[in-house]
Amino acid sequence: MDFNEKLQELRKQKGLTQEELAEKLYVSRTAISKWESGRGYPNIESLKAIAKFFSVTVDELLSSGEVLTIAEEDSKQKEKHFRDLMYAFLDICISMLIFLPFFAEDADGIIQSVSLIALSGVQPYLKIAYLAVVISMIVMGVLTLALQNCQWVAWVKNKTTISLTLGAAAVLVFMISSQPYAAVFAFSLLAIKALMLIKRG
């Protein structure tokens, strides 16, 4: 008997609906439905909770093949979680441009380095463009942290692409406007993200 069949049987023996079991295990009803239909497996923590609730061992719930599948899925989930944290950290790191002297400014024929917040010797539209890409990346980093457990398909599917696109836009804006230090800093963050993506592939 597979895990999904065992879970259904145990739930019915207790006289519980999927919704009631979900409440007992602190998961969504959708998760229970997914597990019982064989479309997925719980993570290690949920599996322990299920075993404890039904007073059975994890070994009784799973076949050897299922144990391997769950271990692999759990490993992938942890890797994805770590990557999301790194992307968020790298996106938020762009905020350093606001306070550190990465921007070149011509002050009476003398080139000096200033922070984005102190930058005044450029056209207003350029400063607005700089602030737009920097703030967009910071917001993306904060959203990635805040929505760690979000299962919205569009978000899960596109968050990496959005982060990389914003990083590339930052590099492009700084390069076009001849801000080499800011461009190199933004490129370094983008390169780290790209390497992580290649490693995943």
Side-chain angles (χ1 to χ4, degrees):
M1 193 184 290
D2 291 332
F3 168 75
N4 62 312
E5 296 168 323
K6 288 176 188 170
L7 182 60
Q8 280 184 58
E9 189 177 281
L10 289 166
R11 175 177 63 77
K12 287 172 182 174
Q13 282 173 5
K14 285 253 187 185
L16 298 170
T17 64
Q18 287 186 343
E19 197 163 333
E20 287 168 340
L21 179 59
E23 285 175 16
K24 302 278 186 190
L25 298 174
Y26 303 103
V27 297
S28 67
R29 193 204 65 78
T30 310
I32 301 293
S33 173
K34 184 179 169 185
W35 300 340
E36 287 194 355
S37 63
R39 290 181 288 114
Y41 292 97
N43 61 27
I44 301 295
E45 293 310 310
S46 293
L47 201 56
K48 287 177 183 174
I50 292 166
K52 185 178 179 183
F53 179 75
F54 289 114
S55 303
V56 295
T57 65
V58 172
D59 287 343
E60 288 175 276
L61 287 173
L62 302 169
S63 66
S64 56
E66 288 173 327
V67 170
L68 188 60
T69 301
I70 288 177
E72 285 173 357
E73 282 186 11
D74 202 52
S75 175
K76 282 179 188 173
Q77 197 62 31
K78 283 178 181 171
E79 188 181 320
K80 179 180 163 295
H81 180 70
F82 174 75
R83 189 178 64 253
D84 284 350
L85 287 176
M86 284 302 298
Y87 268 53
F89 172 74
L90 291 167
D91 282 336
I92 291 169
C93 270
I94 201 81
S95 62
M96 292 168 68
L97 294 178
I98 296 173
F99 308 105
L100 297 180
F102 278 97
F103 293 85
E105 184 174 65
D106 188 346
D108 299 321
I110 299 169
I111 303 296
Q112 58 184 16
S113 294
V114 295
S115 65
L116 178 53
I117 208 164
L119 186 64
S120 59
V122 295
Q123 295 292 333
Y125 72 86
L126 271 180
K127 188 164 182 179
I128 290 168
Y130 296 159
L131 284 168
V133 292
V134 168
I135 290 169
S136 297
M137 285 185 70
I138 294 168
V139 169
M140 185 63 198
V142 171
L143 282 175
T144 303
L145 288 176
L147 301 175
Q148 273 287 295
N149 298 315
C150 175
Q151 296 303 314
W152 185 38
V153 177
W155 170 251
V156 172
K157 197 174 177 182
N158 297 311
K159 62 184 171 183
T160 300
T161 306
I162 295 168
S163 178
L164 289 167
T165 303
L166 288 172
V171 173
L172 198 60
V173 166
F174 297 140
M175 283 179 68
I176 289 171
S177 59
S178 301
Q179 292 291 349
Y181 298 129
V184 167
F185 181 70
F187 179 78
S188 299
L189 299 179
L190 181 63
I192 294 168
K193 288 192 276 189
L195 283 171
M196 289 174 69
L197 194 64
I198 291 164
K199 188 180 175 186
R200 179 185 73 174

